[in-house]
Amino acid sequence: MTRSRSVRVWILAVLALLLAVTATACSSDGERTTTDLCSPPGVGAAAAAPTNLDAAAAQAGEDRYTTPTTVPLDQIDVGALGLITPGVLSVGTLSDAPPSICVNSAGTFTGFDNELLKAVAAELGLQIQFSGTEFAGLLSQVANGRFDVGSSSITTTDERRNTVGFTNGYDFGYFSLVAPNGGKVQSFSDLNSSTRIGVVQGTVQDDYVVNTLKLDPVKFPDYNTAYANLKTGQIDAWVAPSQQAEGAIQPGDNTSIVQNTFSLNNFVGWAVARGNQPLTDALNAGLDAVIADGTWSELYTEWVPRELPPGWKPGSKAAPEPVLPDFAALAAEQAGAGTPTEPVAAKSTLEQLRDTFFNWELYRQAIPDLFTTGLPNTVILAATSGIVGTVLGMLLAVAGISRTRWLRWPARIYTDIFRGLPAVVIILLVGLGVGPVVSGVTGNNPYWLGAAALALLAAAYIGEIFRSGIQSVEPGQMEAARAIGFGYRRAMTLVVIPQGVRRVLPALMNQFISLIKDSSLIYFLGLLASQRELFAVGRDLNAQTGNLSPLVAAGLFYLALTIPLTHLVNYIDRRLRTGKADTSGTLDDLEQAIVVERA
């Protein structure tokens, strides 16, 4: 009874914590405001070209890739574009790099890159479907046919052209060196082997620091995590795209952009499979069309209103020069007309931690999406992979202790491989390796392939858990069962296996809890916005606001799932070991009457 009460107390405590966070957030609506970084800033955010450019930076060099002209739109055969789904442009993108690519508060993939691609697709008469993924795997997914197009402000380096093809440029790229105010880093020349330099893994900034500066950077999975490490002093400097750097820095952060430079091969385009020249030609034609009709200029002014570098323009060499406002003049006018404000005092370390992880307004914003989108997907993925993994694991355990080597050795090999490989590798192998083979069944949607990969991974661990539990049963149990006439299979099924399973229930629950958390890894395969699990939902709101509080809110949901499960299985294990309370010493009224009468 005490254990049952403990389980209920834990469940109520976690739910009370979630309700308290929501209530506190609602009560603080007037105290804090948050900025949606995944919304167009408009011409009011106009910026001139950076003046503090690195004089020693490599120049853009000769343009060897921009096409002289494009194929006329009326000559594009939409049926010959080699699309995964005819008439639909499947796009892999990111959700965490506003204002270029991101997911807005309505759960829609947007940003300058994606809105421009929507306009190009409309010119070609194509529908468009966006899926979120990680930048580290995006180019491989395009090359392997998971996506038709990669849209992620991708700088078109020669190294990347060995993997995929690219369209003409639709944007350019400065990148910025961000450092603490008054710190030891004030320019790129201050960076050396003792400097902890943060970059996002796989980006052109990563390439620049490693191959140009010849330094070893600290690599992060996304921009917000990198900037959070800079603010808290874990790194000395951050090299980032200028748009992301400008959007991330907030008043009181005690950081600033100390210098800028051009990115190598100053050229941003959409990635396409190398052999698909018809699709590349079609996108180039659509890009020139939206430049000619003014759509490019409208979107650029709305999303990234900054002065173009001298001598650069988007599209083919034959595309018209875009007509843009004088961003430099607008920036100067707004700076002169602005009301002088007092400098914002730098925040203390405790204030930084509070604002970064415990912004109650962002908790309130995150919780509805975590409930309606993240929680159901996490439960579906964990439950599906857990059930299938348990069945496969039991088969592996039985095969692993079989007397037949043709069953025993395959089970051991499977277990060694799937336990030895990282979970991400298994998910990518199943999603990107098996995905194209079964695309006719899955509709090129990797959601259930991700669940299958998790199930295969879990089966290896669960099989070993079951095997250890079965082998821990005393040999006398099998001998007793055989003595009363049970065959080997019947003795295993009715006597040995049930006892072994009962002994490993806590270990099984630990594995299921790991599955709940590992469900976040299938985001590497590319998911629709409606298929995001808890961590992905929290990360998307983190990208919109530049704050890590939504990830903490997601963590509370993981606690709400895992803590009650842990105590529930402990309660079940206790009941199986001890049985019900002994009530044999208590006599009811009828029994008492019989005893008295006999006496």
Side-chain angles (χ1 to χ4, degrees), residues 66-91:
T66 299
T67 61
T69 60
T70 59
V71 178
L73 270 179
D74 56 7
Q75 296 182 21
I76 298 293
D77 182 1
V78 176
L81 300 183
L83 302 179
I84 298 169
T85 303
V88 179
L89 195 65
S90 175
V91 181

Side-chain angles (χ1 to χ4, degrees), residues 494-516:
L494 299 179
V495 178
V496 178
I497 291 179
Q499 294 185 64
V501 170
R502 186 187 67 187
R503 295 182 179 189
V504 298
L505 278 178
L508 282 176
M509 183 53 62
N510 286 338
Q511 184 57 41
F512 187 69
I513 289 173
S514 295
L515 275 179
I516 292 175

Side-chain angles (χ1 to χ4, degrees), residues 88 94 120 207 252 269 304 314 334 352 390 456 486 498 502 512 538 569 581:
V88 179
L94 273 62
V120 170
D207 178 81
V304 282
Q334 291 161 8
Q352 289 280 11
T390 299
L456 294 174
F486 282 11
R502 186 187 67 187
F512 187 69
V569 77

Side-chain angles (χ1 to χ4, degrees), residues 192-242:
N192 54 55
S193 58
S194 65
T195 309
R196 288 178 57 82
I197 310 164
V199 296
V200 172
Q201 184 174 8
T203 62
V204 71
Q205 294 81 38
D206 184 1
D207 178 81
Y208 175 75
V209 173
V210 172
N211 295 319
T212 300
L213 300 182
K214 306 299 182 183
L215 298 174
D216 185 17
V218 181
K219 301 184 181 185
F220 296 97
D222 58 72
Y223 296 109
N224 288 303
T225 304
Y227 185 53
N229 275 265
L230 177 68
K231 289 194 296 182
T232 55
Q234 304 305 304
I235 56 177
D236 303 315
W238 175 39
V239 182
S242 60

Side-chain angles (χ1 to χ4, degrees), residues 17-39:
L17 179 59
L18 289 174
L19 291 174
V21 167
T22 306
T24 306
C26 293
S27 67
S28 62
D29 284 348
E31 298 174 9
R32 287 177 186 248
T33 58
T34 57
T35 302
D36 187 356
L37 300 180
C38 191
S39 60

Side-chain angles (χ1 to χ4, degrees), residues 321-471:
E321 194 81 25
V323 179
L324 294 170
D326 187 343
F327 293 127
L330 288 171
E333 179 182 341
Q334 291 161 8
T339 302
T341 57
E342 293 294 329
V344 178
K347 299 174 183 176
S348 67
T349 301
L350 289 178
E351 288 176 324
Q352 289 280 11
L353 291 174
R354 183 196 65 192
D355 292 344
T356 300
F357 295 102
F358 303 105
N359 186 319
W360 305 114
E361 167 62 16
L362 293 182
Y363 279 38
R364 185 191 65 80
Q365 291 183 30
I367 285 175
D369 277 347
L370 290 169
F371 260 123
T372 59
T373 302
L375 183 61
N377 283 316
T378 296
V379 171
I380 289 171
L381 290 168
T384 303
S385 58
I387 292 171
V388 175
T390 299
V391 174
L392 293 178
M394 178 58 74
L395 295 176
L396 283 172
V398 174
I401 60 176
S402 172
R403 298 173 178 176
T404 305
R405 63 181 178 180
W406 300 110
L407 291 176
R408 187 171 64 254
W409 281 107
R412 297 286 175 83
I413 293 171
Y414 176 96
T415 300
D416 288 343
I417 292 174
F418 278 81
R419 286 201 310 170
L421 290 173
V424 171
V425 173
I426 293 173
I427 290 171
L428 290 175
L429 284 173
V430 174
L432 302 184
V434 180
V437 178
V438 297
S439 59
V441 177
T442 63
N444 206 41
N445 186 339
Y447 186 82
W448 293 113
L449 284 175
L454 289 175
L456 294 174
L457 177 67
Y461 290 93
I462 293 174
E464 285 298 282
I465 291 172
F466 279 144
R467 185 174 68 85
S468 64
I470 292 171
Q471 291 182 327

